[in-house]
Structures are given as C-alpha cells and as structure tokens.
Amino acid sequence: MKAFRLDELEAERAANEGAYLQFLRERNMSVGLYALDAGQTDPQQPHGQDEVYFVVSGRGAITVGEETTAVARGSVVYVPAGVPHKFHHISEDLRVMVVFSPPES
C-alpha cells in the first residue's frame, strides 16, 4: 500500500517551488498535485493522456475544449487526451489532484 497526506504533499510541492508535484507513478497511471494561486495564469498545454482533476480546495473555472464550468472543492473534471484545457478566473488558491492514464510522460 502507498498512502499520502495532502498537507505533506503540499509542503513538498512548495519546497520544490513548482506548480506540480507527481507523487505516484504506476504502470497504468500517475497522480500529482497541481497548484495555481488566485489570479494566476494556467500555463499548461494539452497532454497525451486522459486526465481526471479533483479539486481539493479553491475556486475558479476550467475550460475544456469549448466548454467552461466553475470549479470548487469537490469538483471532478475529466479531460480527454489531446484536448486543450485551462483553469482561469481563479478567485481562491486552487489545489487540484490530477490523475493521468496512462502515466504522464
């Protein structure tokens, strides 16, 4: 078993001064913590893997392809591989769990 604590993952991500911390990588998936602060621009580009975002905390919006929805704690968003997507209008610091399948390269 592998178990993680969100507060420890957030501390490790912040210590590494990056917006993304991959903390689990297995044969068929990888999982990471993504952080965007209020007002920040999301720099990500489309990925070659399917993704699931689970919003742990914060508020904002996400556009996937041509669709936009508000997100907040508890929101779950699926993004198919290759589809452009961005978080935006971030009004409260976002902390998002990201599952990639297959694992992010």
Side-chain angles (χ1 to χ4, degrees):
M1 176 173 77
K2 296 178 183 177
F4 305 91
R5 290 182 42 102
L6 186 58
D7 57 344
E8 293 171 355
L9 294 172
E10 175 61 12
E12 183 179 347
R13 185 206 57 78
N16 290 321
E17 299 180 4
Y20 183 72
L21 171 70
Q22 179 178 279
F23 62 88
L24 179 66
R25 184 180 182 86
E26 297 294 333
R27 184 173 51 104
N28 294 315
M29 65 176 223
S30 62
V31 184
L33 180 64
Y34 189 43
L36 292 165
D37 292 336
Q40 189 174 355
T41 301
D42 183 0
Q44 66 179 322
Q45 298 295 316
H47 303 96
Q49 305 84 3
D50 287 341
E51 296 176 75
V52 173
Y53 290 108
F54 172 71
V55 178
V56 176
S57 63
R59 291 187 178 279
I62 187 171
T63 298
V64 178
E66 300 297 319
E67 297 179 85
T68 298
T69 190
V71 294
R73 182 174 163 244
S75 296
V76 178
V77 178
Y78 167 68
V79 179
V83 175
H85 57 284
K86 298 255 187 230
F87 288 97
H88 52 90
H89 293 92
I90 301 166
S91 59
E92 296 175 18
D93 294 354
L94 275 176
R95 298 301 180 263
V96 182
M97 193 85 54
V98 185
V99 178
F100 287 98
S101 182
E104 183 184 35
S105 30

